[in-house]
Amino acid sequence: MRCPTFANLCSGLAGIGLTAWLLLPGALNAQSVQDQLPEMGTAAQATLSLEDEYRIGRMVMRGLRDSGAIMEDPEVSEYMQSLGLRLSSLAHDGNRSFNFFLVRDSAINAFALPGGFIGIHSGLLLETNKESELAAVLAHEVAHVTQRHIARGLENQARANLVSTAATLAAILIGAMAGGSSDATIGAVTAAQNLAIQSQINFTREHEYEADRVGIGLLHTAGFDPTSMASFFDTMGRRTQLGPDRVPELLRTHPVTSARIAEARGRANQIGATVVAPDSLSYALTKERVRVLNTPAGVDPRAYYKSLTENEPDLSLAQIYGQALAQLMAGDAAAAIPTFTRLRDQYPEVLQFHTALGQAQLSAGQTKAALDTLERARVLAPRNVPITVRYGEALLQAGRPKRAHEVLLDLFNNVPPSQEQIRMTAIAANAAGDVADAYSYMAEYHIMGGDLPLAINQLELALSVPNLTDVQRAKFLARLKELREALPKERARMERATQQRPAPPGG
């Protein structure tokens, strides 16, 4: 009973095999990987540093984002990050930042990447029945990161390096999304690369039990039901009785036994009384939002709610929200506006109702009404990310790019941005005619994605724009100098890694 290898950990995630991934627009190729990543070294030489772990995770995130695997929705992202940080902030690892995101995939699975990147499949979120179950999965994955199980597994690798690990892991992650089998994906990776991992990277049985123990402690401290971890895995385990084809990916990548479930339940009961907070409304609303956004292409999202009302005439508040959202996503924004208006007026403290109403009004061509709605929301919650992003979208559609640039830049300067937020700020700046700033924002976008050469190129373009102010020129030059000094160090590390590159199988 061991936790998954990197290959198995990611099966069911999503993707298209390494060769196809390398052909995706903007995806990393072998040379760009080598330009970015440092040497991992051998087990005898050094332990994988936190910085190196982050580099691996960032590389994989870039591939996932470029393939469209990540659900880039401000409301969903805000909830996932908020819930994840509620748990990770209690972990004893003050030197690490965490990034929680949702993968657009109906499989019931979750995974932790090196560097604190933790992904939850949309299918898993929809499978949970209470917020504590979702928190339990996140807590388990957080524990894998804080206990450095990935680095400890890599220490057992002889002559492994970041290039082979990151490229292979990314290929497997993205490869599984296309629906290919795990064996076929691994075969494609091996055939496509002349870099090979000498042996599989395993989380040991002890690591899995340790992640359970630490995760249960996090649940208790954060005010979630600590028994939820055992109960959720137990519920998933009952699916194995339905046949091999019905086994959730979560159990393939996180194999459990009755002994492990019993230990987790016993440990949770030993903790004592836990003051368990009720499920947040944000959890219920996010679940319905993901249900609608996860609707397969060609399927009407309204069908689910139509069948629901036939059996349950009295919908919950979250289901009413989901039903209106389904109307919006199906192209009937006018039908959704009255519902969102009523919800906003009855529950003005719920920010999701404000942004949904603004979205619907904007989609229906009621741009002024959308601006009014979102301006009112900004008074309630200044610099709230979803509200600001939706307001920026409305300003752009209203032909006010200068104001959109100002609003998004204020958010950029005061709240740590996501890559998608940086990209939108660049779009607004470019539309406003602030071309040099747009290039500089895209440089930050590529820095966050780990592509230093492209970031340097964007800053060089920014410096070539006529009529720069002295402040702009100084800022761009300082950032360019910083990146140019960093890039040779990265390449030097890669040269050392290349010299220690393991031979291909059979070589």
Side-chain angles (χ1 to χ4, degrees):
M1 200 201 70
R2 9 178 235 197
C3 193
T5 64
F6 266 173
N8 291 332
L9 180 67
C10 305
S11 78
L13 234 197
I16 39 187
L18 180 62
T19 305
W21 174 59
L22 295 178
L23 298 177
L24 286 171
L28 299 172
N29 55 38
Q31 185 59 50
S32 67
V33 172
Q34 293 180 10
D35 286 343
Q36 310 301 317
L37 294 175
E39 173 188 1
M40 180 184 295
T42 65
Q45 291 173 330
T47 302
L48 189 65
S49 69
L50 292 177
E51 181 184 2
D52 289 345
E53 285 189 49
Y54 178 75
R55 292 168 190 268
I56 295 177
R58 187 175 63 181
M59 287 293 297
V60 179
M61 285 294 294
R62 182 178 167 194
L64 289 172
R65 181 169 283 107
D66 288 345
S67 72
I70 297 176
M71 186 176 285
E72 302 278 11
D73 181 79
E75 288 83 358
V76 172
S77 298
E78 179 86 348
Y79 171 75
M80 292 300 300
Q81 190 71 2
S82 175
L83 178 62
L85 291 180
R86 179 175 166 184
L87 295 159
S88 63
S89 64
L90 301 172
H92 301 295
D93 195 344
N95 295 324
R96 188 186 296 277
S97 60
F98 282 83
N99 185 298
F100 300 87
F101 60 97
L102 200 72
V103 176
R104 193 185 297 274
D105 191 292
S106 59
I108 301 171
N109 206 0
F111 59 94
L113 295 175
F117 298 93
I118 294 177
I120 298 291
H121 287 225
S122 54
L124 185 143
L125 188 152
L126 294 175
E127 188 68 20
T128 60
N129 291 312
K130 55 183 180 177
E131 195 167 23
S132 286
E133 292 180 344
L134 177 59
V137 176
L138 285 173
H140 179 93
E141 300 302 338
V142 165
H144 274 313
V145 174
T146 59
Q147 302 310 112
R148 304 207 66 200
H149 290 159
I150 295 172
R152 286 154 65 181
L154 288 171
E155 282 185 280
N156 296 324
Q157 296 298 298
R159 307 179 67 81
N161 62 67
L162 287 182
V163 178
S164 59
T165 301
T168 303
L169 177 55
I172 294 168
L173 280 165
I174 300 173
M177 215 170 194
S181 69
S182 176
D183 291 341
T185 303
I186 296 172
V189 171
T190 303
Q193 286 186 286
N194 60 2
L195 299 176
I197 295 179
Q198 292 289 306
S199 61
Q200 293 180 325
I201 303 169
N202 295 309
F203 287 150
T204 65
R205 179 188 311 218
E206 289 72 24
H207 289 169
E208 269 301 271
Y209 275 81
E210 185 177 37
D212 288 346
R213 291 194 297 271
V214 173
I216 288 168
L218 292 177
L219 287 174
H220 167 71
T221 308
F224 292 107
D225 182 0
T227 67
S228 293
M229 185 176 295
S231 62
F232 186 62
F233 276 106
D234 191 22
T235 300
M236 293 297 97
R238 294 196 189 102
R239 289 190 170 215
T240 62
Q241 302 172 10
L242 301 177
D245 59 328
R246 300 296 299 275
V247 177
E249 286 296 335
L250 187 69
L251 297 189
R252 300 181 192 274
T253 60
H254 297 71
V256 295
T257 63
S258 57
R260 179 180 165 194
I261 293 173
E263 177 175 318
R265 183 171 286 115
R267 180 168 295 276
N269 291 332
Q270 289 173 5
I271 289 178
T274 299
V275 179
V276 178
D279 284 358
S280 69
L281 180 59
S282 292
Y283 164 72
L285 296 177
T286 300
K287 188 173 178 180
E288 295 307 315
R289 188 173 187 88
V290 170
R291 188 188 311 281
V292 173
L293 295 177
N294 207 46
T295 304
V299 176
D300 190 335
R302 294 170 294 186
Y304 169 81
Y305 294 96
K306 181 180 179 181
S307 63
L308 197 63
T309 54
E310 291 173 353
N311 299 310
E312 302 176 25
D314 297 326
L315 299 182
S316 68
L317 183 62
Q319 289 168 339
I320 293 171
Y321 165 81
Q323 184 179 47
L325 193 64
Q327 293 172 328
L328 170 60
M329 297 304 174
D332 192 4
I337 289 174
T339 301
F340 287 140
T341 301
R342 176 168 55 84
L343 291 175
R344 189 274 312 268
D345 293 344
Q346 289 180 347
Y347 306 94
E349 74 282 3
V350 181
L351 300 181
Q352 291 97 319
F353 296 156
H354 292 263
T355 57
L357 176 57
Q359 271 191 290
Q361 291 168 329
L362 196 63
S363 181
Q366 301 175 17
T367 307
K368 185 181 183 304
L371 289 171
D372 291 343
T373 293
L374 295 168
E375 285 170 355
R376 175 178 169 181
R378 289 183 73 237
V379 173
L380 293 174
R383 291 173 180 156
N384 172 270
V385 173
I387 288 173
T388 306
V389 169
R390 298 303 181 193
Y391 185 49
E393 292 172 346
L395 287 167
L396 285 172
Q397 187 163 318
R400 298 171 58 188
K402 205 78 174 176
R403 177 59 179 156
H405 182 195
E406 293 172 359
V407 168
L408 293 168
L409 181 59
D410 175 72
L411 184 68
F412 180 102
N413 288 333
N414 289 281
V415 179
S418 66
Q419 275 193 273
E420 183 60 22
Q421 290 167 38
I422 296 175
R423 187 187 70 84
M424 186 175 177
T425 306
I427 290 173
N430 187 65
D434 303 323
V435 179
D437 286 336
Y439 282 133
S440 72
Y441 301 146
M442 288 308 297
E444 298 304 318
Y445 174 90
H446 292 301
I447 290 169
M448 186 174 286
D451 194 332
L452 298 190
L454 197 49
I456 288 172
N457 174 258
Q458 293 295 302
L459 285 171
E460 289 172 341
L461 290 171
L463 286 164
S464 70
V465 175
N467 304 319
L468 292 178
T469 67
D470 291 341
V471 172
Q472 284 178 312
R473 187 175 298 279
K475 183 174 69 173
F476 299 161
L477 284 172
R479 192 61 160 152
L480 185 60
K481 180 176 181 290
E482 182 181 359
L483 294 181
R484 282 175 172 168
E485 289 175 351
L487 187 58
K489 297 176 183 178
E490 298 299 300
R491 286 178 169 159
R493 287 177 177 179
M494 270 317 310
E495 288 177 3
R496 291 195 298 272
T498 301
Q499 293 171 2
Q500 298 181 12
R501 182 180 299 172

